[in-house]
Amino acid sequence: MAPSSRSPSPRTKRLRRARGEKEIGRSREREDDGREREKRNSREMDRDIGRDRDRERKGEGERDREVGDKRRRSGREDTEKRRRTRTDDERYSRGRHERSTSPSDRSHRSSRRSPERAIASRHDEGSNARGGSEEPNVEEDSVARMRAVEEALAAKKKEEPSFELSGKLAEETNRYRGITLLFNEPPEARKPSERWRLYVFKDGEPLNEPLCLHRQSCYLFGRERRIADIPTDHPSCSKQHAVIQYREMEKEKPDGMMGKQVKPYIMDLGSTNKTYINESPIEPQRYYELFEKDTIKFGNSSREYVLLHENSAE
């Protein structure tokens, strides 16, 4: 007789179910890791493109400044040459005039002139004296010419196109998957050493598994699923609602010494219905430090996100 088939015991069923859930969790983590790597690589490529553009524009600006400096120097040299030539000509003409008319000749000629001619000559000398006083000084003329050249160069430089990073171009370098991001990571951004997690609750009941927050330096919350690291699908949430950013900041140790430590911070990105920490709304575009067991809410959503790490006491 063939032995009768027996159904597995409840314990065996629980073990199989637990194994299946672990396999599903591992596959999800692998998928999450793959998506995070893609996002990180695309962000790094966008940053590299922006840096290359900045370097090109800085090089063009330096070349323009060098050309302007050369033009100003050449203009000053030309003005100085003209001034020296004019001074030499005046000295030569003045010396020749003094040699041709000595004081004795001028007195002898003036004694033989008639009174009418003397009066006319005095009138001519007075007009010549006034005309000579009206002629501009050589040094003042050279200074005025130099200023005119500098003003012309400055006006030409203003008319030249500016290759600096404008607002629209800055937006283009901060795009991900065709969407302009409302947030840039600060220089002190770092990946955390602690394994932080967000536990999601709704009406006091836990939802799904906790969200891991230790694999990258920032996490974006919002309704736009193409760019959000953690989607918030409630209608009151903005497309780019808030961001959790890890920052390396100086902290005072228990022994009084200063040291650096990576801590989580949250920033509201100008959302319509605000972000709340422990039921208190926070101001937009400002970092707020997060502590263990803080509760975060977005907009009018009833979901609560509790921040804990792997060593948190239950």
Side-chain angles (χ1 to χ4, degrees):
M1 293 178 64
S4 59
S5 61
R6 296 191 313 177
S7 61
S9 63
R11 184 173 178 275
T12 305
K13 290 181 181 179
R14 286 195 299 272
L15 290 174
R16 290 177 181 175
R17 191 180 302 112
R19 291 195 193 98
E21 291 177 355
K22 287 182 179 179
E23 291 295 331
I24 292 172
R26 292 194 189 97
S27 63
R28 286 179 180 174
E29 286 187 357
R30 286 194 293 270
E31 292 176 358
D32 293 340
D33 291 339
R35 283 195 294 270
E36 289 167 0
R37 280 195 297 271
E38 291 178 359
K39 291 180 180 179
R40 189 161 52 253
N41 292 335
S42 60
R43 287 175 181 170
E44 289 177 356
M45 290 176 63
D46 294 339
R47 292 193 191 110
D48 293 339
I49 292 171
R51 293 192 191 101
D52 294 339
R53 291 179 179 174
D54 292 340
R55 293 193 193 100
E56 292 176 359
R57 293 186 189 91
K58 288 180 181 177
E60 292 176 356
E62 290 177 357
R63 287 194 294 272
D64 293 340
R65 285 195 293 273
E66 289 178 359
V67 171
D69 294 338
K70 289 181 180 178
R71 290 177 179 174
R72 282 193 291 272
R73 285 196 296 270
S74 62
R76 291 187 187 126
E77 290 174 358
D78 294 340
T79 304
E80 187 66 21
K81 287 180 180 178
R82 286 196 296 270
R83 187 180 68 81
R84 290 176 181 173
T85 304
R86 188 180 302 164
T87 305
D88 294 340
D89 293 341
E90 290 178 353
R91 288 176 180 172
Y92 176 75
S93 61
R94 193 182 302 116
R96 188 174 62 179
H97 180 69
E98 289 176 354
R99 287 194 299 271
S100 61
T101 57
S102 61
S104 60
D105 294 339
R106 286 196 299 271
S107 62
H108 179 68
R109 290 173 186 170
S110 60
S111 62
R112 293 189 300 176
R113 283 184 299 183
S114 62
E116 292 84 1
R117 293 183 62 185
I119 294 171
S121 64
R122 284 197 296 271
H123 178 72
D124 294 338
E125 289 176 358
S127 61
N128 290 334
R130 286 193 298 272
S133 62
E134 292 175 357
E135 290 181 358
N137 193 1
V138 176
E139 294 182 357
E140 294 178 356
D141 187 30
S142 63
V143 172
R145 287 176 179 273
M146 289 175 63
R147 288 179 181 173
V149 171
E150 290 178 356
E151 290 176 358
L153 289 173
K156 188 175 181 181
K157 192 172 183 180
K158 288 181 181 179
E159 295 175 358
E160 291 177 354
S162 176
F163 295 101
E164 295 181 358
L165 196 63
S166 62
K168 186 65 177 176
L169 200 55
E171 291 181 0
E172 295 296 331
T173 60
N174 193 30
R175 294 178 68 86
Y176 179 66
R177 293 186 177 179
I179 299 174
T180 302
L181 299 177
L182 301 179
F183 170 75
N184 280 324
E185 286 197 80
E188 66 273 12
R190 299 290 187 276
K191 289 180 65 175
S193 57
E194 292 181 300
R195 293 177 176 268
W196 290 94
R197 291 181 174 86
L198 276 179
Y199 290 81
V200 188
F201 295 87
K202 185 174 183 180
D203 299 329
E205 296 293 330
L207 295 177
N208 302 326
E209 296 180 357
L211 303 173
C212 298
L213 295 181
H214 63 275
R215 296 190 178 98
Q216 56 193 47
S217 57
C218 71
Y219 288 85
L220 179 63
F221 295 77
R223 286 191 296 108
E224 185 55 75
R225 284 182 167 266
R226 287 181 292 174
I227 58 175
D229 299 300
I230 301 177
T232 55
D233 296 329
H234 197 272
S236 65
C237 296
S238 301
K239 293 182 178 180
Q240 300 182 51
H241 196 101
V243 64
I244 288 181
Q245 175 70 61
Y246 292 99
R247 305 168 67 199
E248 185 181 50
M249 306 295 288
E250 288 190 351
K251 294 286 184 179
E252 186 176 357
K253 297 180 179 179
D255 58 359
M257 301 295 291
M258 299 299 292
K260 292 185 178 181
Q261 191 174 6
V262 179
K263 288 287 188 179
Y265 291 79
I266 190 169
M267 177 192 289
D268 183 90
L269 300 178
S271 62
T272 304
N273 295 307
K274 299 184 178 181
T275 302
Y276 298 84
I277 301 178
N278 301 327
E279 304 297 334
S280 299
I282 62 175
E283 297 180 6
Q285 308 299 332
R286 178 182 172 186
Y287 282 117
Y288 287 82
E289 185 177 356
L290 293 174
F291 299 93
E292 184 184 0
K293 298 182 181 180
D294 277 348
T295 302
I296 306 169
K297 291 183 67 177
F298 302 102
N300 300 325
S301 175
S302 60
R303 295 195 179 191
E304 296 179 340
Y305 299 81
V306 180
L307 183 67
L308 298 171
H309 55 75
E310 58 183 355
N311 298 323
S312 298
E314 296 182 358

